[in-house]
Amino acid sequence: MDSTGSKRINLLENGIRLYRKRKWAGIAATFCPVIILSLFWKGYSEKGAIASMITGFVSVILCKFVFANMDGIGPYLKELDVLGPSFALAMLAGWIVSKIAPPKDATAA
């Protein structure tokens, strides 16, 4: 294979890798906090899980399309990617809602 063909394949591989990273950030920010909190914390409630999923999904959209275009924090979010802030917000929302509305088993005990 000539060097041009090799460069094209390398460019294609890098493009696919970048696409996968961007594509899965929304799914990871939506469901990973729910999985982690439900496995390691008995006080995690159903309402907390729903709040985590909604917050993760909405914050990915906001970070990607709204906050990335803002003057102050936009350049940082473009470099950071949306997964980190969205994941952190989803974990925090699940924790806060679970503290406000604990699971039914925890209130009966």
Side-chain angles (χ1 to χ4, degrees), residues 55-76:
T55 304
F57 179 75
V58 170
S59 63
V60 164
I61 293 170
L62 288 176
C63 287
K64 181 76 175 167
F65 298 109
V66 177
F67 299 146
N69 296 325
M70 295 176 106
D71 290 335
I73 60 172
Y76 298 110

Side-chain angles (χ1 to χ4, degrees), residues 27-103:
I27 294 171
T30 302
F31 295 112
C32 286
V34 175
I35 294 169
I36 291 170
L37 287 172
S38 64
L39 287 175
F40 296 109
W41 185 31
K42 291 183 180 180
Y44 194 50
S45 67
E46 178 184 351
K47 291 179 182 178
I50 292 169
S52 289
M53 288 188 278
I54 292 171
T55 304
F57 179 75
V58 170
S59 63
V60 164
I61 293 170
L62 288 176
C63 287
K64 181 76 175 167
F65 298 109
V66 177
F67 299 146
N69 296 325
M70 295 176 106
D71 290 335
I73 60 172
Y76 298 110
L77 280 176
K78 286 181 183 177
E79 293 297 322
L80 180 65
D81 197 29
V82 298
L83 179 59
S86 301
F87 185 87
L89 286 172
M91 290 281 277
L92 186 64
W95 180 75
I96 290 171
V97 172
S98 292
K99 286 292 188 178
I100 293 171

